[in-house]
Amino acid sequence: MWDRHKAERGVWSTGMLEALERGVKGGKWFSLIDKVYAERTLALGWAKVRRNAGACGVDGVTVSRFEKQAEHRLRTVEEQLKRGTYRPRPIQRTWIPKPGSREKRPLGIPAVVDRVVQTALRMVIEPIFEREFAPQSYGFRPGRSCKDALRRVDELLQSGYVHVVDIDIKGYFDCIPHERLMKQVKEHIADGRVLGLIEGFLKAKVMETGKEWEPTAGTPQGGVISPLLANLYLNPLDWLMEQKGVQMVRYADDMVVLCRDAEAAQEALEAIRAWMKEAGLTLHPEKTCVVSLTEPGSHVDFLGYRFWRTCKGTLRRLIRPKSMKHFRAKIKPLTKRANGHSLEAVVMKLNPILRGWYGYYKHAHPLVLVNVDGWVRCRLRSILRKRKGGRGRARGKDHQRWPNRYFDTLGLFCLEAACRQELSSLRHGAKC
């Protein structure tokens, strides 16, 4: 029962889950705050925050520092929640690069204690909203992942849904109207103290470059509760598309709508545009468009992949150029021709990156993986070439001097070999 409703044992009781299944009176939940400040809930919340680690907030308290007095700190916040005196600290805002882009996006870092309370709150309210979410929503939901969303897109494209509406919401996480969002929360939760807690996190002041200000909209990226609230706000759009019989795949604010013909795609776009206007959101005028994957060379990007129509008419899954650029930017500093590390040490630093990258992008066309392997080995050959007194990038006889098997002996992770081994295991019925 807990798995079915994505509920945390020890936070949700059997009685609560039974009530969730049969429905509560009026469709609203009362008396939830005691579940939030329960000793076990806060302890579970702290365990999750400790496991995720992360930076400290404005108070300068790190996870390791919090851990030294964890029991005392958790008792203090429990008392504050009971008395109604708990107030979230300001959020430390920083700007981080967007992968493969010169643009940056804001990241809000709550204090460790606020992350604990947000985690406890999320564990209490998440099953209530999970029951309401549409099946085409995949982002930041328990038991769902990017790979599930990509698999669904692939299935739809192969089934003939080749007219794609590529949706981009301009600054979504910073633009969600608080009042409208809280109205949706209140449709299912009637506990005033829990509502006050959620609103407190939404309106928590932001500290940026030494200045403090209070947001009037948005749910900051980086907050534990933010993805759940962001999913909740777009949930009516999910169901609108469902009612219209339109195939939609959404991962947080990344979404595509897939149709069998161009006319249906255009109608879907107009319906989405009207809904966004009513919801107080804005579609990016340049990035939102209808793409027909019918002509050779046409493509659509989604969650780091590129779905591309070849000149022979087949669909291939490639890697989005921005994603490839981001990958190369991580590898280049580790493989400079002039560095004082042994090649074995360089390989040891590369392997975790290559394994993690393969874990996500292994479903790209095999030639992509072969090319990436070749590019990485070329970087390593260039290091060896310089150490032999040569100039420039590796070329010519360098490939014979240091063949591919040379890097195998160093233990370099090979994407092509990993893919080949996985395919072989699948053919023999092994479970990967």
Side-chain angles (χ1 to χ4, degrees):
M1 190 183 293
W2 281 270
D3 291 339
R4 184 164 69 250
H5 293 291
K6 313 303 179 187
E8 193 80 38
R9 289 178 183 271
V11 177
W12 276 70
S13 65
T14 306
M16 289 175 69
L17 290 173
E18 289 172 350
L20 185 65
E21 288 193 341
R22 67 173 179 266
V24 293
K25 187 176 180 180
K28 295 185 179 182
W29 287 77
F30 294 82
S31 302
L32 292 172
I33 190 65
D34 60 312
K35 313 300 187 299
V36 177
Y37 65 63
E39 183 179 341
R40 176 161 175 78
T41 307
L42 290 173
L44 282 170
W46 159 237
K48 290 177 183 289
V49 170
R50 181 176 54 192
R51 188 165 57 246
N52 293 333
C56 62
V58 295
D59 59 1
V61 177
T62 61
V63 171
S64 58
R65 184 177 164 190
F66 189 97
E67 186 173 14
K68 292 176 182 178
Q69 294 181 307
E71 190 175 339
H72 170 71
R73 293 178 188 276
L74 292 177
R75 277 202 307 267
T76 300
V77 79
E78 178 184 345
E79 287 301 315
Q80 290 174 343
L81 288 167
K82 280 182 180 178
R83 295 173 184 171
T85 59
Y86 168 81
R87 298 291 181 273
R89 290 149 185 76
I91 293 170
Q92 181 69 56
R93 173 175 267 199
T94 185
W95 292 81
I96 61 174
K98 283 187 175 181
S101 171
R102 292 183 180 179
E103 296 179 17
K104 293 187 175 182
R105 64 180 179 88
L107 180 68
I109 306 172
V112 173
V113 66
D114 293 328
R115 299 209 292 271
V116 172
V117 177
Q118 285 192 36
T119 304
L121 176 62
R122 181 184 58 77
M123 288 189 293
V124 171
I125 68 174
E126 187 171 55
I128 296 171
F129 296 118
E130 266 296 314
R131 186 174 173 82
E132 306 297 324
F133 287 159
Q136 62 264 44
S137 167
Y138 293 88
F140 305 108
R141 293 182 60 189
R144 289 173 166 242
S145 68
C146 290
K147 292 181 181 180
D148 296 319
L150 288 163
R151 192 178 298 114
R152 179 60 179 156
V153 170
D154 206 24
E155 289 171 357
L156 289 167
L157 289 173
Q158 299 298 339
S159 300
Y161 291 84
V162 293
H163 298 273
V164 183
V165 186
D166 193 355
I167 302 294
D168 189 282
I169 308 174
K170 202 170 181 179
Y172 174 60
F173 280 86
D174 288 330
C175 296
I176 302 173
H178 287 170
E179 188 176 341
R180 295 181 185 183
L181 174 58
M182 287 305 299
K183 185 179 178 181
Q184 286 182 242
V185 174
K186 290 174 184 177
E187 289 177 5
H188 303 286
I189 294 175
D191 186 320
R193 291 170 69 181
V194 167
L195 293 172
L197 198 55
I198 295 171
E199 198 158 9
F201 285 126
L202 290 175
K203 295 185 179 297
K205 290 183 179 180
V206 176
M207 179 72 75
E208 186 176 9
T209 60
K211 296 181 181 179
E212 229 179 55
W213 53 276
E214 185 175 308
T216 56
T219 173
Q221 295 186 69
V224 179
I225 201 74
S226 295
L228 175 62
L229 297 176
N231 271 334
L232 176 63
Y233 197 67
L234 288 177
N235 190 47
L237 176 62
D238 296 340
W239 286 113
L240 175 65
M241 294 295 102
E242 181 83 5
Q243 290 164 10
K244 289 182 175 293
V246 174
Q247 299 293 337
M248 180 179 182
V249 180
R250 181 173 70 80
Y251 190 92
D253 59 332
D254 290 320
M255 64 190 86
V256 286
V257 175
L258 300 99
C259 305
R260 288 192 179 276
D261 57 75
E263 185 179 350
Q266 194 60 45
E267 288 176 2
L269 176 57
E270 294 306 317
I272 292 170
R273 188 174 279 129
W275 186 90
M276 291 288 174
K277 185 177 180 181
E278 177 64 26
L281 301 172
T282 305
L283 291 177
H284 197 294
E286 296 174 1
K287 297 179 182 178
T288 300
C289 58
V290 176
V291 179
S292 295
L293 292 178
T294 53
E295 297 297 323
S298 57
H299 67 267
V300 66
D301 296 335
F302 187 59
L303 298 180
Y305 276 90
R306 169 163 288 183
F307 295 88
W308 177 67
R309 178 73 68 180
T310 70
C311 58
K312 293 183 178 180
T314 58
L315 272 169
R316 280 187 183 176
R317 219 201 267 199
L318 307 179
I319 297 171
R320 188 182 183 190
K322 282 186 177 181
S323 303
M324 188 64 76
K325 184 178 179 181
H326 178 59
F327 167 74
R328 291 188 174 189
K330 289 179 71 175
I331 296 295
K332 283 181 178 179
L334 302 176
T335 54
K336 290 180 179 178
R337 286 194 288 274
N339 71 76
H341 303 289
S342 68
L343 209 62
E344 289 83 356
V346 173
V347 166
M348 283 183 67
K349 290 181 179 179
L350 288 177
N351 279 347
I353 299 173
L354 294 172
R355 286 194 182 94
W357 194 85
Y358 172 76
Y360 187 77
Y361 288 106
K362 63 184 177 181
H363 298 295
H365 192 275
L367 280 177
V368 175
L369 304 181
V370 171
N371 290 337
V372 171
D373 279 332
W375 179 80
V376 172
R377 285 192 294 261
C378 182
R379 298 282 302 178
L380 296 177
R381 287 189 182 103
S382 297
I383 295 173
L384 294 168
R385 177 184 175 86
K386 182 174 178 61
R387 291 176 181 177
K388 288 288 186 181
R391 294 182 178 181
R393 294 171 58 188
R395 59 184 182 271
K397 292 184 178 179
D398 295 331
H399 294 265
Q400 285 77 46
R401 188 181 299 172
W402 301 292
N404 293 355
R405 63 177 176 274
Y406 172 78
F407 299 102
D408 292 339
T409 62
L410 292 174
L412 179 67
F413 182 81
C414 177
L415 308 176
E416 182 191 7
C419 181
R420 197 165 53 240
Q421 183 177 355
E422 192 161 330
L423 288 173
S424 176
S425 298
L426 289 170
R427 288 193 199 100
H428 289 87
K431 193 173 182 180
C432 293

